[in-house]
Amino acid sequence: MEFITQAWPWYVSGPSIAFILFLVFYYGKNFGVSTNLETFCTIGGAGKFSDYFKTDWKERKWSLFFVAGIVLGGFISHQFLMPSEAIALNPETIKELNQLGFEQAGKSYLPAEIFSLEQLGTVKGFLILLVSGILVGFGSRYAGGCTSGHTITGISSFQKPSMLATIGFFVGGLLMVWFLIPLIF
Amino acid sequence: MKNIRFLIIGLLFGIILSKSEVVSWYRIYEMFKFQSFHMYGIIGSAIFISIILMQLFKKGTIKNVDGNQITVKEKKKGIVRTLLGGIIFGLGWALSGICAGPIFVLLGHGSLPILVVLLGAILGAFLYGLISKKLPH
C-alpha cells in the first residue's frame, strides 16, 4: 500500500507511461493528447470560422473518452492516492524558488503563487494562466503534437519532425525558466 | 461500448501522471534548470521502452487487438512549424508547468484556475486553426 501512496520514482513512472502508449496502440489508436483541443473547437462550432475545423470529430470520440479518463484518474489520485503534498525537489531548486517568492517550494504540489484563487482574481495571475494555455494550445497544434504525441510517440518511432519539435519544446522552456520567469515573478 | 476501454486507459494515465509528479509546476521548473534527473529519467525511460515497442510493432511481433499490423501515424513535416510551434509550446509549458495531458489531470485534482488554462489552450488551438493558412510551415 505504501508503494501506491508515495510518489513514484522515475523508473516506475517512465515505463508506466510506455505501457499506456502500448495499450492505446494495441487498441488501434495513436497515442497523443493535444488533438483533443481541436476536437473541442470542432464540437463548439469552429467550422463556421475556418475550414480547418471541418473534420469528422466522431472518429476521434475514443480520444474524448481517453481525456475524460485522465480527469477521473487525476481526481482519484488527488482524493485517495496522495496523502502528502510534499515533493522531493533538489534543495538548490527550493532555495532559488524561495528567493523568487515561491514560499511553499518542496512543501506543496502546486505553487499557490500561480494556482490559488487569490492569484486567479488578479489581472496578472489570470493572464499568466490564460497566456500559458494559449501558448500550449497554439504551439502544440502548430508543431503538430505535444509531449505525448511528439516526444514519446514521435521520437520512439524515429520521426524527424518530432525530434525538431522536442528541441523546440526545450528551447522555449529554457527561455521561459532562465530569462522570463525571473522577470515575471 | 468499446470506448470505455479508453476511459480506463486514460484513468490509468491520469494516475501515473499524478504519482510521477510530472504535472507539478515545480518538477518542470527543476527540469529546465537541470537540477534533477527525475523528469529526464521518466521521459528517457518512456522513450527507451517505446522504441522497443515500436520495433515489435513494425516487425509484427505485437499485433493489435484485431490481429492487424500496428502502424504509427506520420507526423506532419516542416522545419518552421515544428521548431517555431515547439518553442511557442515550450514557453507555455514552462510558464504554468502544464502541457496538454496534465491540464486534464489537474482538472481532476479540482484546481479551479486550471479551467482558465484549458480555456486558453482551446482558444490557442482555435487561433491556430484560424490563421494556419497564413503561417509558414
Side-chain angles (χ1 to χ4, degrees), chain B residues 1 31 41 82 136:
Chain B
M1 259 312 252
M31 168 180 75
T82 47

Side-chain angles (χ1 to χ4, degrees), chain A residues 125-181:
Chain A
F126 180 81
L127 281 180
I128 287 175
L129 294 164
L130 186 74
V131 169
S132 136
I134 293 176
L135 292 169
V136 165
F138 187 92
S140 65
R141 294 332 301 151
Y142 196 6
C146 57
T147 11
S148 48
H150 268 319
T151 307
I152 311 283
T153 309
I155 289 187
S156 65
S157 55
F158 303 132
Q159 301 201 50
K160 203 177 128 208
S162 297
M163 305 199 189
L164 286 173
T166 303
I167 291 171
F169 296 167
F170 265 80
V171 171
L174 291 173
L175 278 174
M176 178 55 71
V177 163
W178 287 84
F179 301 107
L180 298 174
I181 281 186

